[in-house]
């Protein structure tokens, strides 16, 4: 999930982890139906035609999906891409957090790169137990208030959100404005 959202190597690059196997979903194709996996030589050699494990998929090698994947890779490897993505995410999260503070609502917005979470609680959670202490009903009301204002967030309080390189400053400002109105509506 963190591939191309927090850095070119995902969370494993941020934390210095060398995985046995890495899998990437449609993020590798900029949202197109494509996926990829790779890993240690001894594991990959288990796959046909070298090894006995056959792997295939409906869209394996689909030229449109592969072209989208190559375009995505070129884009995310441009110098400064992840700095710009992280700055956009920080601008959005700072704006939403400020709107919550103005409304007097306990709210935390942890983020990394292009990924973020929205938690109705004081302070960012750092454990499963703390995540579960979040006010899920407040999240549900906020989700619907944002939807009424044209902003579609992930519908679960436990899902990650994503900022895209396609999001503009105007998109971020509109989202923060909707959040400010939504938080105000939660108080009434």
């Amino acid at each position: 999930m963190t591939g191309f959202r927090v850095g070119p190597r995902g969370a494993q690059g941020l934390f210095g982890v060398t995985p046995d196997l890495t899998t990437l979903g449609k993020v590798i194709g900029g949202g197109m139906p494509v996926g990829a996996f790779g890993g240690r030589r001894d594991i990959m050699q288990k796959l046909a035609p070298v090894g006995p494990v056959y792997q295939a998929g409906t869209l394996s090698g689909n030229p449109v999906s592969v072209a989208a994947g190559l375009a995505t890779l070129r884009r995310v490897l441009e110098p400064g891409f992840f700095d710009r993505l992280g700055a956009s995410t920080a601008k959005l999260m700072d704006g939403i957090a400020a709107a919550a503070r103005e409304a007097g609502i306990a709210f935390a917005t942890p983020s990394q790169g292009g990924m973020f979470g929205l938690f109705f609680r004081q302070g960012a959670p750092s454990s499963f137990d703390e995540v579960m202490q979040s006010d899920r009903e407040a999240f549900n009301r906020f989700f619907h208030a944002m939807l009424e204002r044209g902003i579609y967030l992930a519908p679960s309080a436990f899902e990650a959100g994503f900022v895209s390189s396609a999001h503009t400053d105007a998109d971020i400002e509109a989202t923060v404005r909707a959040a400010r109105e939504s938080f105000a509506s939660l108080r009434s």
Side-chain angles (χ1 to χ4, degrees), residues 29-30 32 60 63 75 84-85 92 124 140 143 149 151 153 156 174:
M32 290 292 290
S60 292
R75 180 79 188 268
R84 291 187 301 275
L85 182 62
L92 177 62
N140 290 338
F143 167 81
R149 289 161 178 80
I151 305 297
L153 300 168
S156 168

Side-chain angles (χ1 to χ4, degrees), residues 95 117 119 183:
F119 298 94
F183 285 128

